[in-house]
Amino acid sequence: MNDNKDLLQRFALSDDELDAAVAEAKGSLGDQDIATRYDQSVKDFAPNALITGKVLRVVADDVMVDIGYKSEGVVPLYEFDDLEAPDAGTEIEVLMEGMDDQSGLLLLSRRRAERLRGWERIVSSHGEGDILAGTATRKIKGGLLLDVGGVAVFLPASQIDIRRVPDVATYIGRDLECKIIKIDRERMNIVVSRRKLLEERRNKLREELLETLEEGQIRKGTVKNIADFGAFLDIGGVDGLLHITDMSWGRVNHPSEVVQLEQELEVKVLRFDRERNRIALGLKQLESSPWEEIEKKYPVGSRVTGEVVNIMPYGAFVKIEDGIEGLVHISEMSWTRRVNHPSELVEIGGEVDVVVLEINKDKQEISLGMKQTEVNPWTEVEERYPVGTIIEGVVRNLTNYGAFVEIEEGIDGLLHVSDMSWTKKVSHPSDNLQKGDLVRAVVLSVDTDKRRVALGMKQLEQDPWQDEIPRRYGPGDIVAGRVTKITNFGVFVSLEDGLEGLLHISELTDKKVDTPEDVVNQGQLVDVRVLKVDSEERKIGLSMIGVPQHSHLTEEEEKAAAAEAGGGDTATEEPAADAAPAADEESAATGDEASEPEPAAAEAEASTSDEAPADEPAAADQDEDAEKQG
């Protein structure tokens, strides 16, 4: 401290020297002149006033500015965009914000001055309804801020575009033109709308477009919205629908696979409804259809390789090229295998060999077959299993009218109930067979077209009605039997296992009876006389012992007596149908249970408990093949 005082004393001027220096500086100016000039050089500024000053120097992060006030002003260095210290003497415009009480410096803002000057420039040259251009700088609550010449302008989210914008942040950094919808001078706030501007321009373009738009034109459009069923394109002020089916000749699972938002496309006008202002657009129509020369590229009978693209319960769709898909129906997948669902044989994405079966160019449909790529085993069945061949097979399935026996893999034969026994009545196949049984049978017929093989078990043995039964039972023989069934026209009597004869009501007693129950009971043992044995009709006529025989009656008289008794003249329970109903070809070929009615068996023989009188002729002769096939 003492050293400092010594220095001041060494270099201090004397009072005379100081007075001389001040006088030299004042020159001819008096004290009053100096005070006046000082007052004129120092200005008094109100807060928020715009002031022009000169840069004096840069101190650390502050720029010192002379604005002609009693003290200097300070502007933060970061308010200069280039973040470099401005040169001394540079004039800048600043806004006075206040004074720092501690330092006595004026607080100045260059940015606020620019913003205020910009605001004054905008409001002086623009009004509500005018167009402004700015850059979206940042996202705020409810919308975006646009920088318009240094002035922040608010763009609400609902006013950004004609359609709702999912994320307004995608517009940050984009230059946007908007329409002023509100100016608040007190708050220095401007609200703009891009939507209104787009709508006005859109309406103008719409009017121009609708005057010139025609079907078949090629137009440019921008994808504005994507839905599950297609995409909406703006083709110049008017929206058109590009349906998913018109995007590609190939399969499209979702429109986003083909188009993206804001993508520009060339499309074709397919339909234009002027009254409803609805426009249908097409993209695939810009290219030729792959169906145009389909018959030349894939003639019927040609073999191709394709990819399974879809599976339905009724079949599989196979793509043989982009835009060309054909259906392999479930019935065309295998010659022999019963396919319950296509997924048993194919899977999506797998490659398959197919044969073209049919083409419908108008409907753009093509029928394909998988089984046609292999040899049809049924074409060789007749050669491998000619009529009379004895086979062994496993019972694979039972139906009401017979059993399906697997001859070889994929080839089943039908063993009809009427071909199981010569003498025994078989009401249901389960009476004789069960699933999984190994049986021997003989091939009776082969129908390659209908894919049917008829089998028989009884044909493995000689027909007892041709020799054995006529030899054991002759007219006049007296035999014992048991009543097995009573009908209104007579009684069936079991003579031995599987062999029955008919005791007509007129042969029960020499007296007139109302019902057979008046004479016999079911299960009763009776002695009977054989009246006749008919090998062709497979009937045995019987009479109770002690009853006068009617053998002296003529055939016509016997029929009349039978009719009077209320029955026919056969030894069957009921007349046989002329032919059994044809079973579903597929079921008959595979042996699977089907919902078809039970075929009527050819059972008009005396070996069964039939309901016709003993002497009635058989019903119509039956086509054996038909009834055996069911």
Side-chain angles (χ1 to χ4, degrees):
M1 192 69 173
N2 293 328
D3 293 340
N4 293 335
K5 290 181 179 180
D6 294 340
L7 288 173
L8 290 173
Q9 290 176 0
R10 281 182 62 187
F11 296 103
L13 296 176
S14 63
D15 293 339
D16 294 337
E17 290 174 330
L18 286 173
D19 292 340
V22 170
E24 183 180 355
K26 290 170 60 177
S28 61
L29 295 175
D31 292 342
Q32 186 63 36
D33 293 333
I34 292 174
T36 301
R37 288 193 176 188
Y38 176 77
D39 292 338
Q40 291 176 350
S41 65
V42 176
K43 300 175 183 178
D44 189 11
F45 300 101
N48 297 321
L50 285 174
I51 309 167
T52 300
K54 287 184 179 181
V55 175
L56 297 174
R57 60 190 175 277
V58 176
V59 180
D61 293 331
D62 294 324
V63 178
M64 308 304 295
V65 181
D66 178 12
I67 61 172
Y69 193 64
K70 298 177 183 179
S71 62
E72 297 172 348
V74 60
V75 178
L77 181 60
Y78 63 78
E79 288 196 2
F80 293 84
D81 295 335
D82 51 14
L83 296 180
E84 294 181 2
D87 297 333
T90 303
E91 287 192 353
I92 61 173
E93 192 171 38
V94 294
L95 180 77
M96 182 177 174
E97 295 181 322
M99 179 179 289
D100 188 343
D101 295 335
Q102 293 183 355
S103 64
L105 296 174
L106 294 175
L107 301 178
L108 307 176
S109 173
R110 181 170 179 263
R111 286 185 178 176
R112 289 188 62 189
E114 291 178 344
R115 191 174 298 122
L116 181 60
R117 186 63 70 189
W119 162 262
E120 292 177 348
R121 185 173 58 254
I122 290 175
V123 296
S124 63
S125 59
H126 295 79
E128 293 183 359
D130 290 342
I131 296 174
L132 283 178
T135 303
T137 56
R138 64 191 180 97
K139 175 182 176 181
I140 63 173
K141 183 179 180 180
L144 293 171
L145 282 184
L146 303 186
D147 182 1
V148 182
V151 178
V153 175
F154 179 56
L155 174 60
S158 62
Q159 300 299 315
I160 294 177
D161 206 336
I162 294 175
R163 294 182 177 85
R164 179 180 175 275
V165 178
D167 184 8
V168 299
T170 58
Y171 284 81
I172 295 177
R174 291 177 55 180
D175 293 332
L176 305 175
E177 277 191 327
C178 304
K179 194 169 187 177
I180 299 175
I181 57 177
K182 183 180 180 181
I183 297 178
D184 189 339
R185 296 179 183 274
E186 293 183 0
R187 297 183 179 181
M188 294 178 62
N189 186 27
I190 298 177
V191 181
V192 296
S193 171
R194 180 171 176 262
R195 175 179 179 174
K196 285 186 176 295
L197 183 60
L198 293 177
E199 287 177 344
E200 290 178 0
R201 292 176 177 176
R202 179 186 178 89
N203 292 335
K204 184 177 180 181
L205 290 173
R206 178 195 295 268
E207 293 175 1
E208 296 175 356
L209 179 66
L210 294 179
E211 291 178 0
T212 59
L213 191 66
E214 297 289 342
E215 293 182 0
Q217 289 179 342
I218 307 299
R219 292 277 182 169
K220 286 186 177 181
T222 303
V223 179
K224 291 300 181 182
N225 193 19
I226 297 176
D228 292 338
F229 54 85
F232 290 95
L233 275 69
D234 183 350
I235 58 172
V238 180
D239 279 355
L241 173 62
L242 175 60
H243 197 270
I244 187 172
T245 57
D246 291 313
M247 290 184 173
S248 172
W249 291 110
R251 178 181 290 270
V252 179
N253 295 313
H254 194 272
S256 59
E257 298 175 4
V258 181
V259 299
Q260 304 297 325
L261 285 175
E262 299 302 323
Q263 181 181 359
E264 290 189 356
L265 298 170
E266 276 196 344
V267 290
K268 187 174 185 178
V269 179
L270 303 181
R271 292 175 299 280
F272 176 32
D273 187 340
R274 292 184 180 275
E275 294 182 359
R276 304 169 71 183
N277 283 339
R278 290 191 176 181
I279 304 170
L281 306 174
L283 185 60
K284 72 180 184 181
Q285 287 78 5
L286 298 178
E287 302 175 354
S288 59
S289 170
W291 288 88
E292 287 183 2
E293 297 185 350
I294 184 71
E295 288 133 341
K296 294 181 181 178
K297 293 168 65 177
Y298 304 105
V300 173
S302 60
R303 180 169 176 166
V304 294
T305 300
E307 177 189 357
V308 178
V309 293
N310 196 17
I311 295 177
M312 302 297 289
Y314 53 83
F317 288 92
V318 177
K319 181 180 75 174
I320 55 180
E321 72 167 64
D322 286 340
I324 302 293
E325 292 180 8
L327 173 64
V328 181
H329 194 267
I330 193 170
S331 63
E332 303 295 343
M333 290 187 166
S334 175
W335 289 112
T336 56
R337 182 174 174 179
R338 175 78 172 189
V339 183
N340 296 312
H341 195 277
S343 58
E344 297 174 8
L345 299 181
V346 297
E347 61 181 8
I348 294 179
E351 285 193 350
V352 292
D353 290 332
V354 293
V355 171
V356 178
L357 304 180
E358 185 181 356
I359 295 174
N360 189 326
K361 186 175 179 180
D362 295 335
K363 294 184 178 181
Q364 294 188 353
E365 295 175 349
I366 181 169
S367 298
L368 305 173
M370 288 170 51
K371 68 183 183 183
Q372 287 77 6
T373 60
E374 303 173 352
V375 177
N376 182 0
W378 281 93
T379 59
E380 302 176 356
V381 169
E382 194 168 6
E383 297 178 4
R384 295 202 306 272
Y385 303 102
V387 175
T389 303
I390 297 176
I391 61 96
E392 283 191 353
V394 175
V395 176
R396 199 171 67 83
N397 198 19
L398 299 176
T399 68
N400 291 333
Y401 51 86
F404 286 95
V405 179
E406 186 178 53
I407 301 174
E408 63 176 56
E409 185 177 3
I411 304 295
D412 288 351
L414 174 61
L415 176 58
H416 197 272
V417 288
S418 62
D419 289 311
M420 291 184 178
S421 174
W422 288 112
T423 58
K424 183 179 179 181
K425 173 178 173 56
V426 182
S427 301
H428 192 275
S430 59
D431 295 343
N432 286 14
L433 302 171
Q434 300 297 327
K435 284 185 179 181
D437 287 352
L438 181 65
V439 298
R440 293 178 75 248
V442 62
V443 176
L444 303 181
S445 66
V446 177
D447 189 332
T448 301
D449 295 334
K450 295 182 178 180
R451 293 188 292 174
R452 295 178 180 175
V453 176
L455 303 176
M457 287 177 60
K458 71 182 184 182
Q459 288 80 1
L460 294 172
E461 302 174 354
Q462 186 177 357
D463 184 358
W465 283 94
Q466 301 303 317
D467 180 48
E468 185 178 350
I469 292 177
R471 179 168 48 81
R472 295 208 313 267
Y473 300 94
D477 291 351
I478 297 176
V479 294
R482 187 180 298 277
V483 176
T484 58
K485 188 174 183 180
I486 299 176
T487 69
N488 60 345
F489 55 81
V491 175
F492 287 98
V493 178
S494 174
L495 304 179
E496 60 181 68
D497 186 22
L499 181 63
E500 293 179 341
L502 176 62
L503 183 57
H504 193 270
I505 190 171
S506 62
E507 300 294 342
L508 287 172
T509 177
D510 56 355
K511 298 179 181 179
K512 182 175 178 60
V513 294
D514 295 328
T515 64
E517 285 90 343
D518 295 340
V519 181
V520 295
N521 298 317
Q522 187 162 339
Q524 178 181 342
L525 287 173
V526 293
D527 291 328
V528 293
R529 177 183 291 107
V530 176
L531 297 180
K532 66 176 181 178
V533 177
D534 190 337
S535 298
E536 292 183 3
E537 299 294 334
R538 303 175 186 274
K539 308 171 188 174
I540 296 180
L542 305 174
S543 175
M544 286 279 284
I545 297 298
V547 179
Q549 300 181 32
H550 295 277
S551 58
H552 63 282
L553 298 178
T554 65
E555 185 175 352
E556 290 74 9
E557 290 173 330
E558 287 182 353
K559 290 181 180 179
E564 184 179 300
D569 193 28
T570 67
T572 58
E573 290 185 7
E574 52 190 351
D578 290 341
D584 179 18
E585 293 183 9
E586 186 70 20
S587 298
T590 60
D592 290 308
E593 292 189 67
S595 60
E596 60 268 87
E598 176 183 357
E603 297 167 351
E605 47 190 320
S607 60
T608 60
S609 300
D610 300 323
E611 296 181 353
D615 297 329
E616 182 181 358
D621 291 336
Q622 302 182 25
D623 182 347
E624 293 184 0
D625 289 342
E627 63 180 58
K628 291 168 185 174
Q629 289 299 332

